[in-house]
Amino acid sequence: MALLEARGLSVNYGGLYANKDIDLDCHTGKLVGLIGPNGAGKTTFIDAITGFTPVSEGKVTFDGVDLAGVSPDQRALMGLTRTFQSLELFEDLSVRDNLMAAAERPKWHSFLTDIVMPGRNERQFKEQVDWALEIMGLQDRADTLPSDLSHGQRKLISVARALAAKPKLVLLDEPAAGLDTSESQLLGQHLREFLEHDMSLFLIDHDMGLVLNVCDYIYVLDFGKIIAHGTPAEVRADPAVISAYLGESAGEEQAQRGAEFGAATTTTEATS
């Protein structure tokens, strides 16, 4: 059984299907990618999986549990977390406190415990926050405000915040958007490292070099429907993908970029 399963998932807005009959699996310990042109319905799919938009038809299960009627916060408590394209950082909190806010799992009686044991949360979650900062290379930025950091660093904070809760599955919505080549390569290295810590990843991004070189399996979405899926090599060579998403010339260009990305990543790992 896959960690996350979508069967016949459809999202309908006033008669218009943003997602239609999507079947998709995310297995434990794997990095699964979803690509497609703008407007294909990729973010809508993440919204449906995480409970931010209602599923019109179909079924979604996570860790064997049917998610119908489960709220977004309850899904997060189950270990299903996500990032947002708009980052949604707390600008008046330090990087560390941004992560602490995500790591905490409050219950109805938490405020009483905080009165009796002030500082309990900081002690309890400090270890996993420190781990998330370290794995994303943000230790020296822990006490900095997000507004004082570059766009690339802010993107890394968003990913680190999702990791701080030690989830089972993280859904990343275009984490490389706005990053330069070197920043994207660094992010790619981090993503593969996450799999060594009992987590699985689901990645949406327009950076084909990143997606083709870090994912174990890729789905391709076009006009709300899955038109292809397979290993990176299979997707790169699929005529439907080349025609509907890349185009002949774009396909050759992105394949070349993917090869260069992989070579650069290998070189970086060899020298580190």
Side-chain angles (χ1 to χ4, degrees):
M1 180 182 295
L3 178 61
L4 175 72
E5 293 184 352
R7 292 293 179 268
L9 184 148
S10 298
V11 176
N12 187 313
Y13 295 115
L16 177 65
Y17 280 97
N19 290 156
K20 180 64 173 175
D21 295 329
I22 294 180
D23 292 339
L24 186 149
D25 293 337
C26 291
H27 288 273
T28 301
K30 297 297 183 181
L31 202 168
V32 177
L34 178 66
I35 61 174
N38 287 329
K42 302 184 298 298
T43 296
T44 298
F45 178 76
I46 282 189
D47 288 343
I49 292 297
T50 52
F52 286 90
T53 195
V55 174
S56 304
E57 304 165 24
K59 181 178 181 180
V60 180
T61 59
F62 178 69
D63 204 14
V65 178
D66 188 343
L67 294 182
V70 180
S71 65
D73 61 306
Q74 291 174 323
R75 298 184 196 205
L77 289 173
M78 292 169 60
L80 180 63
T81 65
R82 65 171 296 178
T83 65
F84 294 85
Q85 292 185 29
S86 57
L87 300 184
E88 303 293 344
L89 300 177
F90 299 110
E91 300 294 346
D92 56 344
L93 297 180
S94 69
V95 171
R96 178 182 297 280
D97 286 341
N98 264 272
L99 270 61
M100 190 69 73
E104 184 179 358
R105 289 289 184 258
K107 297 181 173 57
W108 68 267
H109 54 75
S110 295
F111 77 98
L112 294 174
T113 308
D114 290 338
I115 293 174
V116 178
M117 301 174 59
R120 171 188 61 90
N121 288 339
E122 183 174 354
R123 294 190 299 271
Q124 182 177 352
F125 300 112
K126 183 178 184 301
E127 182 178 345
Q128 59 198 69
V129 167
D130 287 344
W131 168 80
L133 289 170
E134 180 180 359
I135 201 171
M136 295 304 298
L138 293 168
Q139 306 97 311
D140 59 343
R141 298 289 188 268
D143 298 319
T144 306
L145 293 177
S147 56
D148 294 331
L149 299 176
S150 68
H151 178 72
Q153 291 171 325
R154 289 165 60 84
K155 281 281 188 176
L156 296 181
I157 295 170
S158 178
V159 176
R161 188 175 60 180
L163 297 176
K166 288 293 186 75
K168 296 176 183 178
L169 177 64
V170 183
L171 297 97
L172 304 171
D173 194 356
E174 299 194 17
L179 303 187
D180 61 29
T181 301
S182 61
E183 290 173 329
S184 183
Q185 290 171 358
L186 180 61
L187 175 63
Q189 294 173 36
H190 287 315
L191 295 183
R192 293 304 307 181
E193 292 173 8
F194 300 161
L195 303 180
E196 301 172 5
H197 296 274
D198 298 323
M199 284 188 292
S200 306
L201 297 176
F202 182 80
L203 172 66
I204 289 178
D205 212 278
H206 284 294
D207 188 332
M208 290 294 292
L210 172 66
V211 175
L212 290 172
N213 281 279
V214 303
C215 290
D216 299 301
Y217 202 84
I218 299 173
Y219 291 85
V220 185
L221 193 66
D222 192 28
F223 292 105
K225 296 182 178 181
I226 298 294
I227 62 170
H229 58 91
T231 66
E234 292 169 340
V235 167
R236 182 187 284 118
D238 192 300
V241 179
I242 295 173
S243 174
Y245 180 43
L246 298 176
E248 295 290 346
S249 60
E252 296 174 359
E253 179 181 346
Q254 290 286 13
Q256 176 63 28
R257 185 180 179 190
E260 293 172 353
F261 182 97
T265 301
T266 301
T267 302
T268 302
E269 292 175 344
T271 56
S272 60

Short mmCIF file of all heavy atoms in Angstrom, two decimals, residues 118-157:
data_model
loop_
_atom_site.label_atom_id
_atom_site.label_comp_id
_atom_site.label_asym_id
_atom_site.label_seq_id
_atom_site.Cartn_x
_atom_site.Cartn_y
_atom_site.Cartn_z
N PRO A 118 6.25 26.76 31.91
CA PRO A 118 6.64 27.70 30.85
C PRO A 118 7.95 27.28 30.21
O PRO A 118 8.86 26.81 30.87
CB PRO A 118 6.79 29.02 31.61
CG PRO A 118 7.02 28.64 33.03
CD PRO A 118 6.24 27.38 33.25
N GLY A 119 8.01 27.46 28.88
CA GLY A 119 9.22 27.08 28.15
C GLY A 119 9.25 25.62 27.75
O GLY A 119 10.21 25.16 27.14
N ARG A 120 8.15 24.89 28.09
CA ARG A 120 8.10 23.47 27.76
C ARG A 120 8.27 23.22 26.27
O ARG A 120 9.01 22.34 25.83
CB ARG A 120 6.78 22.89 28.23
CG ARG A 120 6.50 21.45 27.76
CD ARG A 120 5.07 21.06 28.11
NE ARG A 120 4.12 21.93 27.46
CZ ARG A 120 3.61 21.68 26.25
NH1 ARG A 120 3.98 20.61 25.59
NH2 ARG A 120 2.73 22.51 25.70
N ASN A 121 7.58 24.03 25.44
CA ASN A 121 7.61 23.82 24.00
C ASN A 121 9.01 24.00 23.44
O ASN A 121 9.45 23.24 22.57
CB ASN A 121 6.65 24.80 23.31
CG ASN A 121 5.21 24.43 23.55
OD1 ASN A 121 4.90 23.30 23.89
ND2 ASN A 121 4.31 25.39 23.40
N GLU A 122 9.72 25.02 23.91
CA GLU A 122 11.06 25.26 23.41
C GLU A 122 11.97 24.08 23.69
O GLU A 122 12.75 23.67 22.83
CB GLU A 122 11.64 26.53 24.05
CG GLU A 122 13.02 26.89 23.50
CD GLU A 122 13.51 28.22 24.04
OE1 GLU A 122 12.74 28.89 24.74
OE2 GLU A 122 14.67 28.57 23.75
N ARG A 123 11.87 23.51 24.89
CA ARG A 123 12.71 22.36 25.22
C ARG A 123 12.30 21.13 24.43
O ARG A 123 13.14 20.37 23.96
CB ARG A 123 12.61 22.07 26.72
CG ARG A 123 13.19 23.16 27.61
CD ARG A 123 13.28 22.68 29.05
NE ARG A 123 11.98 22.34 29.62
CZ ARG A 123 11.21 23.22 30.24
NH1 ARG A 123 11.59 24.50 30.35
NH2 ARG A 123 10.04 22.85 30.75
N GLN A 124 11.00 20.94 24.29
CA GLN A 124 10.49 19.74 23.65
C GLN A 124 10.80 19.68 22.15
O GLN A 124 11.14 18.63 21.62
CB GLN A 124 8.97 19.64 23.86
CG GLN A 124 8.34 18.38 23.26
CD GLN A 124 6.86 18.30 23.56
OE1 GLN A 124 6.33 19.09 24.33
NE2 GLN A 124 6.19 17.35 22.96
N PHE A 125 10.71 20.82 21.48
CA PHE A 125 10.84 20.81 20.03
C PHE A 125 12.17 21.37 19.52
O PHE A 125 12.39 21.43 18.31
CB PHE A 125 9.68 21.60 19.41
CG PHE A 125 8.33 21.03 19.75
CD1 PHE A 125 7.46 21.72 20.57
CD2 PHE A 125 7.94 19.80 19.26
CE1 PHE A 125 6.22 21.21 20.90
CE2 PHE A 125 6.70 19.27 19.58
CZ PHE A 125 5.83 19.97 20.39
N LYS A 126 13.05 21.78 20.43
CA LYS A 126 14.32 22.38 20.02
C LYS A 126 15.14 21.42 19.16
O LYS A 126 15.74 21.83 18.16
CB LYS A 126 15.14 22.80 21.24
CG LYS A 126 16.46 23.49 20.89
CD LYS A 126 17.19 23.91 22.15
CE LYS A 126 18.46 24.68 21.81
NZ LYS A 126 19.40 23.89 20.98
N GLU A 127 15.14 20.15 19.51
CA GLU A 127 15.95 19.17 18.79
C GLU A 127 15.53 19.06 17.33
O GLU A 127 16.36 19.08 16.43
CB GLU A 127 15.87 17.81 19.47
CG GLU A 127 16.72 16.75 18.80
CD GLU A 127 16.66 15.41 19.51
OE1 GLU A 127 16.20 15.39 20.68
OE2 GLU A 127 17.08 14.41 18.91
N GLN A 128 14.21 18.95 17.08
CA GLN A 128 13.78 18.79 15.70
C GLN A 128 13.90 20.10 14.91
O GLN A 128 14.14 20.07 13.69
CB GLN A 128 12.35 18.24 15.64
CG GLN A 128 11.27 19.07 16.30
CD GLN A 128 10.02 18.25 16.55
OE1 GLN A 128 10.02 17.35 17.39
NE2 GLN A 128 8.94 18.55 15.81
N VAL A 129 13.77 21.24 15.58
CA VAL A 129 13.99 22.52 14.90
C VAL A 129 15.46 22.66 14.52
O VAL A 129 15.80 23.07 13.40
CB VAL A 129 13.55 23.70 15.79
CG1 VAL A 129 14.07 25.03 15.24
CG2 VAL A 129 12.02 23.74 15.89
N ASP A 130 16.36 22.31 15.44
CA ASP A 130 17.79 22.36 15.15
C ASP A 130 18.14 21.43 13.99
O ASP A 130 18.97 21.76 13.14
CB ASP A 130 18.60 21.98 16.39
CG ASP A 130 18.60 23.07 17.45
OD1 ASP A 130 18.25 24.21 17.12
OD2 ASP A 130 18.95 22.77 18.61
N TRP A 131 17.48 20.27 13.95
CA TRP A 131 17.73 19.33 12.86
C TRP A 131 17.29 19.92 11.52
O TRP A 131 18.02 19.82 10.52
CB TRP A 131 16.96 18.03 13.13
CG TRP A 131 16.91 17.12 11.94
CD1 TRP A 131 17.88 16.27 11.51
CD2 TRP A 131 15.82 17.00 11.00
NE1 TRP A 131 17.47 15.62 10.37
CE2 TRP A 131 16.22 16.04 10.04
CE3 TRP A 131 14.57 17.58 10.91
CZ2 TRP A 131 15.39 15.66 9.00
CZ3 TRP A 131 13.75 17.21 9.85
CH2 TRP A 131 14.15 16.26 8.91
N ALA A 132 16.12 20.54 11.48
CA ALA A 132 15.63 21.13 10.24
C ALA A 132 16.53 22.28 9.78
O ALA A 132 16.80 22.44 8.59
CB ALA A 132 14.19 21.62 10.42
N LEU A 133 17.01 23.09 10.73
CA LEU A 133 17.92 24.18 10.38
C LEU A 133 19.22 23.63 9.81
O LEU A 133 19.76 24.15 8.82
CB LEU A 133 18.22 25.02 11.63
CG LEU A 133 17.09 25.90 12.16
CD1 LEU A 133 17.46 26.46 13.52
CD2 LEU A 133 16.78 27.03 11.19
N GLU A 134 19.72 22.56 10.41
CA GLU A 134 20.99 21.99 9.97
C GLU A 134 20.88 21.38 8.58
O GLU A 134 21.74 21.59 7.72
CB GLU A 134 21.46 20.94 10.97
CG GLU A 134 22.79 20.28 10.57
CD GLU A 134 23.24 19.25 11.58
OE1 GLU A 134 22.54 19.04 12.60
OE2 GLU A 134 24.30 18.62 11.34
N ILE A 135 19.81 20.60 8.36
CA ILE A 135 19.69 19.90 7.09
C ILE A 135 19.48 20.87 5.92
O ILE A 135 19.83 20.58 4.77
CB ILE A 135 18.56 18.85 7.14
CG1 ILE A 135 18.77 17.80 6.04
CG2 ILE A 135 17.21 19.49 7.01
CD1 ILE A 135 17.84 16.62 6.15
N MET A 136 18.94 22.07 6.22
CA MET A 136 18.77 23.07 5.17
C MET A 136 19.89 24.11 5.17
O MET A 136 19.86 25.06 4.40
CB MET A 136 17.43 23.79 5.36
CG MET A 136 16.21 22.90 5.18
SD MET A 136 16.16 22.05 3.57
CE MET A 136 16.06 23.43 2.46
N GLY A 137 20.90 23.92 6.03
CA GLY A 137 22.04 24.83 6.05
C GLY A 137 21.71 26.22 6.54
O GLY A 137 22.29 27.21 6.08
N LEU A 138 20.79 26.32 7.49
CA LEU A 138 20.32 27.63 7.98
C LEU A 138 20.72 27.91 9.42
O LEU A 138 20.19 28.83 10.04
CB LEU A 138 18.80 27.70 7.86
CG LEU A 138 18.21 27.71 6.44
CD1 LEU A 138 16.70 27.48 6.50
CD2 LEU A 138 18.52 29.01 5.73
N GLN A 139 21.68 27.15 9.97
CA GLN A 139 22.03 27.33 11.37
C GLN A 139 22.46 28.76 11.68
O GLN A 139 22.09 29.32 12.71
CB GLN A 139 23.15 26.38 11.79
CG GLN A 139 22.90 24.91 11.50
CD GLN A 139 23.54 24.45 10.21
OE1 GLN A 139 23.37 25.08 9.18
NE2 GLN A 139 24.28 23.37 10.30
N ASP A 140 23.24 29.36 10.78
CA ASP A 140 23.75 30.71 11.03
C ASP A 140 22.71 31.79 10.76
O ASP A 140 22.98 32.99 10.92
CB ASP A 140 24.99 30.98 10.21
CG ASP A 140 24.75 30.85 8.71
OD1 ASP A 140 23.74 30.26 8.32
OD2 ASP A 140 25.60 31.34 7.93
N ARG A 141 21.51 31.39 10.35
CA ARG A 141 20.43 32.35 10.10
C ARG A 141 19.29 32.17 11.11
O ARG A 141 18.24 32.78 10.96
CB ARG A 141 19.87 32.17 8.68
CG ARG A 141 20.89 32.42 7.58
CD ARG A 141 21.23 33.90 7.47
NE ARG A 141 22.04 34.18 6.30
CZ ARG A 141 23.37 34.19 6.30
NH1 ARG A 141 24.02 33.90 7.43
NH2 ARG A 141 24.04 34.48 5.22
N ALA A 142 19.49 31.35 12.12
CA ALA A 142 18.42 30.97 13.03
C ALA A 142 17.79 32.16 13.75
O ALA A 142 16.58 32.18 13.99
CB ALA A 142 18.93 29.96 14.06
N ASP A 143 18.59 33.17 14.09
CA ASP A 143 18.08 34.31 14.85
C ASP A 143 17.79 35.53 13.97
O ASP A 143 17.54 36.62 14.49
CB ASP A 143 19.08 34.69 15.95
CG ASP A 143 19.29 33.56 16.95
OD1 ASP A 143 18.29 32.92 17.31
OD2 ASP A 143 20.44 33.32 17.34
N THR A 144 17.79 35.32 12.67
CA THR A 144 17.54 36.41 11.71
C THR A 144 16.06 36.47 11.35
O THR A 144 15.37 35.44 11.33
CB THR A 144 18.37 36.18 10.43
OG1 THR A 144 19.74 36.01 10.78
CG2 THR A 144 18.23 37.35 9.47
N LEU A 145 15.58 37.66 11.06
CA LEU A 145 14.20 37.80 10.57
C LEU A 145 14.15 37.44 9.09
O LEU A 145 15.08 37.76 8.33
CB LEU A 145 13.71 39.24 10.76
CG LEU A 145 13.52 39.73 12.19
CD1 LEU A 145 13.10 41.19 12.19
CD2 LEU A 145 12.48 38.88 12.93
N PRO A 146 13.10 36.76 8.64
CA PRO A 146 12.99 36.39 7.22
C PRO A 146 13.13 37.58 6.28
O PRO A 146 13.68 37.44 5.18
CB PRO A 146 11.60 35.76 7.13
CG PRO A 146 11.34 35.24 8.50
CD PRO A 146 11.98 36.23 9.43
N SER A 147 12.64 38.75 6.69
CA SER A 147 12.69 39.93 5.83
C SER A 147 14.12 40.39 5.55
O SER A 147 14.35 41.15 4.60
CB SER A 147 11.90 41.08 6.46
OG SER A 147 12.38 41.36 7.76
N ASP A 148 15.08 39.93 6.34
CA ASP A 148 16.48 40.32 6.15
C ASP A 148 17.25 39.33 5.30
O ASP A 148 18.47 39.47 5.13
CB ASP A 148 17.18 40.45 7.51
CG ASP A 148 16.61 41.60 8.35
OD1 ASP A 148 16.13 42.57 7.75
OD2 ASP A 148 16.63 41.49 9.59
N LEU A 149 16.58 38.34 4.74
CA LEU A 149 17.24 37.30 3.97
C LEU A 149 16.87 37.37 2.50
O LEU A 149 15.87 38.00 2.12
CB LEU A 149 16.86 35.92 4.52
CG LEU A 149 17.24 35.65 5.98
CD1 LEU A 149 16.72 34.30 6.43
CD2 LEU A 149 18.75 35.73 6.17
N SER A 150 17.67 36.72 1.66
CA SER A 150 17.42 36.70 0.22
C SER A 150 16.21 35.82 -0.08
O SER A 150 15.75 35.03 0.77
CB SER A 150 18.64 36.14 -0.51
OG SER A 150 18.81 34.76 -0.22
N HIS A 151 15.71 35.95 -1.30
CA HIS A 151 14.55 35.15 -1.71
C HIS A 151 14.88 33.66 -1.64
O HIS A 151 14.06 32.85 -1.19
CB HIS A 151 14.12 35.52 -3.13
CG HIS A 151 12.97 34.71 -3.63
ND1 HIS A 151 11.68 34.86 -3.19
CD2 HIS A 151 12.92 33.70 -4.56
CE1 HIS A 151 10.88 34.01 -3.80
NE2 HIS A 151 11.61 33.29 -4.64
N GLY A 152 16.08 33.30 -2.07
CA GLY A 152 16.48 31.90 -2.03
C GLY A 152 16.51 31.35 -0.62
O GLY A 152 16.06 30.23 -0.37
N GLN A 153 17.03 32.13 0.32
CA GLN A 153 17.08 31.70 1.71
C GLN A 153 15.67 31.60 2.30
O GLN A 153 15.39 30.70 3.10
CB GLN A 153 17.94 32.66 2.53
CG GLN A 153 19.42 32.60 2.17
CD GLN A 153 20.22 33.70 2.83
OE1 GLN A 153 19.74 34.83 3.00
NE2 GLN A 153 21.45 33.40 3.21
N ARG A 154 14.80 32.50 1.91
CA ARG A 154 13.42 32.45 2.39
C ARG A 154 12.72 31.18 1.89
O ARG A 154 11.90 30.58 2.60
CB ARG A 154 12.65 33.69 1.92
CG ARG A 154 13.09 34.97 2.63
CD ARG A 154 12.59 36.22 1.91
NE ARG A 154 11.14 36.25 1.81
CZ ARG A 154 10.33 36.70 2.76
NH1 ARG A 154 10.83 37.15 3.91
NH2 ARG A 154 9.03 36.72 2.58
N LYS A 155 13.03 30.76 0.68
CA LYS A 155 12.49 29.51 0.16
C LYS A 155 12.95 28.33 1.01
O LYS A 155 12.17 27.41 1.31
CB LYS A 155 12.95 29.31 -1.29
CG LYS A 155 12.17 30.11 -2.31
CD LYS A 155 10.83 29.44 -2.61
CE LYS A 155 10.11 30.10 -3.75
NZ LYS A 155 8.86 29.41 -4.10
N LEU A 156 14.23 28.35 1.39
CA LEU A 156 14.76 27.27 2.22
C LEU A 156 14.09 27.26 3.59
O LEU A 156 13.86 26.19 4.17
CB LEU A 156 16.28 27.42 2.37
CG LEU A 156 17.10 27.28 1.09
CD1 LEU A 156 18.59 27.43 1.40
CD2 LEU A 156 16.84 25.94 0.41
N ILE A 157 13.77 28.45 4.12
CA ILE A 157 13.06 28.52 5.41
C ILE A 157 11.70 27.86 5.29
O ILE A 157 11.26 27.12 6.18
CB ILE A 157 12.90 29.99 5.85
CG1 ILE A 157 14.25 30.64 6.13
CG2 ILE A 157 12.02 30.07 7.11
CD1 ILE A 157 14.17 32.13 6.33
#
